Amino acid sequence: MTQAKKIPCEIISIREGKTWDNVIVRRKSTGKQMFFGKAKKDLTISVGDAAYMQVEAMASELPETPLRVTLYDENDTKIDWVIIQPTMFDVGR
């Protein structure tokens, strides 16, 4: 994986599931939202909390290199991660 980029965001929704919690965050720079579906239930996060996403390009032979987006709270505790295509997430902003 290449160098990671940190992107500030805010937690806007936490929904309790049977096994995991679902977390939605909003990027501060663009207002775009991202869904994370496997957050551990024992985390101490709340709606309105500051967080950040760390974005890394993954090694790939595909024409469009997938991105691994990891969500952390402001204390650097890992909340969840997803793999997405770059067209879904503009890292440059």
Side-chain angles (χ1 to χ4, degrees), residues 49-93:
D49 284 355
Y52 69 91
M53 293 178 281
Q54 188 168 326
V55 181
E56 300 173 273
M58 300 177 66
S60 174
E61 295 179 11
L62 299 172
E64 193 173 45
T65 304
L67 301 175
R68 178 183 170 122
V69 181
T70 307
L71 179 64
Y72 294 91
D73 70 9
E74 58 190 350
N75 298 317
D76 299 325
T77 302
K78 183 177 174 180
I79 298 173
D80 193 9
W81 63 275
V82 295
I83 295 175
I84 62 170
Q85 293 300 317
T87 53
M88 297 174 58
F89 196 88
D90 180 14
V91 205
R93 291 185 183 180

Side-chain angles (χ1 to χ4, degrees), residues 1-2 13 25 28 37-38 41 44 62 65 71 74 81:
M1 289 191 206
T2 61
S13 174
V25 298
K28 292 189 176 192
K38 285 191 170 182
K41 291 185 163 292
T44 55
L62 299 172
T65 304
L71 179 64
E74 58 190 350
W81 63 275

Side-chain angles (χ1 to χ4, degrees), residues 8 10-11 18 39 47 57 60 65 82:
E10 176 185 7
I11 296 172
K18 289 184 178 183
V47 171
S60 174
T65 304
V82 295

